[in-house]
Amino acid sequence: MTAEQNCGGDNVMWIRGGKFIVYRFDGEIKDIFEILQGIFSIWLPQSGYQMTQRYGLNIYHHIDRNNHHVIMDLCIPVS
């Protein structure tokens, strides 16, 4: 979640900006791991990008637990 820079929370941290690849995932929850493996082991090595030492983000837009479906953005920091 986004918070004001001086909100005073105990477990609040600043995530550095920069370049990210974003993959929109729209599918069954059970398939997320397989998609991530494909991104990291096939697409990323062939893309010319390199993953950086920053935090990645998973941005969940919709979760339907009854039907095991999710729409989310997988955001991976790259250079």
Side-chain angles (χ1 to χ4, degrees):
M1 76 188 239
T2 303
E4 294 296 321
Q5 191 168 3
N6 57 356
C7 72
D10 290 336
N11 59 350
V12 175
M13 69 180 298
W14 184 262
I15 298 175
R16 285 187 343 198
K19 189 180 290 188
F20 287 80
I21 59 150
V22 178
Y23 179 83
R24 171 62 57 102
F25 178 81
D26 184 345
E28 291 193 33
I29 294 169
K30 68 176 182 64
D31 296 331
I32 294 171
F33 181 76
E34 182 178 348
I35 293 298
L36 280 173
Q37 290 300 309
I39 291 170
F40 285 112
S41 64
I42 299 170
W43 184 85
L44 190 59
Q46 295 176 5
S47 71
Y49 291 107
Q50 292 186 352
M51 188 170 169
T52 62
Q53 296 292 320
R54 293 180 291 137
Y55 287 100
L57 303 168
N58 294 334
I59 302 172
Y60 293 86
H61 298 285
H62 179 75
I63 301 172
D64 181 350
R65 288 182 176 84
N66 293 329
N67 294 306
H68 311 284
H69 185 265
V70 66
I71 300 172
M72 64 186 288
D73 290 335
L74 305 167
C75 307
I76 301 166
V78 295
S79 62

